[in-house]
């Protein structure tokens, strides 16, 4: 969802459950997408990426799904752990250069 | 070496001070970036350097002055900043070319302008 003011969308999950974080993009020319994880006080950390010629990519405990028809990207985290608590950003490379456009972010809170 | 380093970690400065932020990478990347991040917001692109030349300036005020002395170093010179410039300043780097544009971020410099 969209963030309003200083409030990030927040997803709260129990440890061990699966998490799904969503992101919508608007530019049909976007050809490369990245998910970043940002813990408090740290810089964004690369999680997984996907190119526009793919609709699914899997990593260790993470899966990214890309639906170009509705311009939607999701990040699935399996067996969520307390260390997964962070803010997650999707980012897109629109192909017009080297700049990335970041989404507004989702705060993931994992409770024991 | 697969990391981007930034110094200092924290910086407090007055509005009349001149200071510099430093960024370094040894991954052979030829594109380097400065981002500004306010609390609970995504990073906002400020500058992009490719092959040590400034290629993107996102209408950043002139009180921020970037410099790329060589392919491994990126500086951000600060002068006459305003309190609203207080933020986390992130440096990133990436390989050049194509859609494969994974950007590696440093830990950032937390800047406070009094």
């Amino acid at each position: 969802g969209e963030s309003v003011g200083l409030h990030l969308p927040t997803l709260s999950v129990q440890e061990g459950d699966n998490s799904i974080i969503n992101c919508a993009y608007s530019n049909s020319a976007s050809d490369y997408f990245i998910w970043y994880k940002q813990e408090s006080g740290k810089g964004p950390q690369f999680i997984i990426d996907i190119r526009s010629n793919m609709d699914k990519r899997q990593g260790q405990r993470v899966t990214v799904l890309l639906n170009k028809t509705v311009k939607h990207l999701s990040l699935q985290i399996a067996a969520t752990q307390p260390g997964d608590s962070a803010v997650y950003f999707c980012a897109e490379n629109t192909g017009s250069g080297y700049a990335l456009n970041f989404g507004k972010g989702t705060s993931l809170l994992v409770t024991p | 070496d697969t990391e981007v380093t930034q110094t200092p970690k924290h910086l407090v400065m007055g509005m009349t001070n001149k200071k510099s932020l430093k960024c370094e990478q040894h991954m052979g990347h030829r594109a380097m970036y400065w981002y500004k991040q306010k609390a609970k917001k995504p990073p906002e692109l400020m500058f992009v350097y490719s092959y040590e030349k400034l290629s993107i300036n996102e209408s950043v005020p002139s009180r921020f002055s970037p410099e790329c002395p060589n392919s491994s170093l990126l500086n951000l010179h600060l002068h006459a900043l305003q309190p609203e410039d207080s933020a986390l300043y992130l440096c990133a780097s990436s390989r050049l070319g194509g859609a494969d544009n994974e950007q590696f971020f440093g830990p950032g410099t937390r800047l406070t302008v009094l």
Side-chain angles (χ1 to χ4, degrees), chain B residues 45-56:
Chain B
L45 183 67
M46 299 175 71
F47 302 104
V48 180
Y49 273 82
S50 60
Y51 290 99
E52 296 102 71
K53 287 187 169 33
L54 184 64
S55 60
I56 295 177

Side-chain angles (χ1 to χ4, degrees), chain A residues 3-8 31-32 34 36 38 41-46 49 51 89 93 96-105, chain B residues 31 33 35 37 39-43 45 48 50 55-56 58 88 90 96-108 110:
Chain A
S3 63
V4 177
L6 294 179
H7 300 287
L8 280 172
D31 54 12
Y32 179 64
I34 305 176
Y36 284 97
Q38 188 173 23
K42 297 184 178 180
Q45 177 188 358
F46 172 88
D49 59 1
R51 291 183 176 81
F89 292 102
N93 177 342
S96 63
Y98 310 110
L100 287 175
N101 292 328
F102 281 81
K104 295 186 187 301
Chain B
Y33 310 76
Y35 287 86
Q37 187 177 29
K40 299 188 187 299
K41 296 287 188 181
L45 183 67
V48 180
S50 60
S55 60
I56 295 177
E58 291 286 353
L88 180 69
L90 293 162
L96 279 184
D100 183 359
N101 193 36
E102 178 187 341
Q103 292 184 18
F104 292 79
F105 283 84
R110 177 72 61 187

Side-chain angles (χ1 to χ4, degrees), chain A residues 30-86:
Chain A
S30 297
D31 54 12
Y32 179 64
F33 304 86
I34 305 176
W35 280 100
Y36 284 97
K37 171 187 180 183
Q38 188 173 23
E39 296 174 271
S40 181
K42 297 184 178 180
Q45 177 188 358
F46 172 88
I47 302 173
I48 192 167
D49 59 1
I50 189 167
R51 291 183 176 81
S52 58
N53 61 352
M54 305 170 71
D55 52 23
K56 180 179 180 179
R57 190 158 189 234
Q58 289 185 292
Q60 189 176 18
R61 282 203 304 120
V62 294
T63 301
V64 55
L65 299 178
L66 175 61
N67 185 331
K68 294 181 286 294
T69 303
V70 295
K71 298 191 189 69
H72 184 267
L73 194 67
S74 68
L75 176 71
Q76 300 177 3
I77 304 174
T80 315
Q81 302 168 359
D84 294 327
S85 294

Side-chain angles (χ1 to χ4, degrees), chain B residues 82-99:
Chain B
Q82 304 296 311
E84 60 264 30
D85 295 321
S86 298
L88 180 69
Y89 287 84
L90 293 162
C91 174
S93 70
S94 69
R95 295 193 298 267
L96 279 184

Side-chain angles (χ1 to χ4, degrees), chain A residues 89-112:
Chain A
F89 292 102
C90 63
E92 58 180 329
N93 177 342
T94 62
S96 63
Y98 310 110
L100 287 175
N101 292 328
F102 281 81
K104 295 186 187 301
T106 296
S107 177
L108 176 65
L109 178 63
V110 182
T111 56

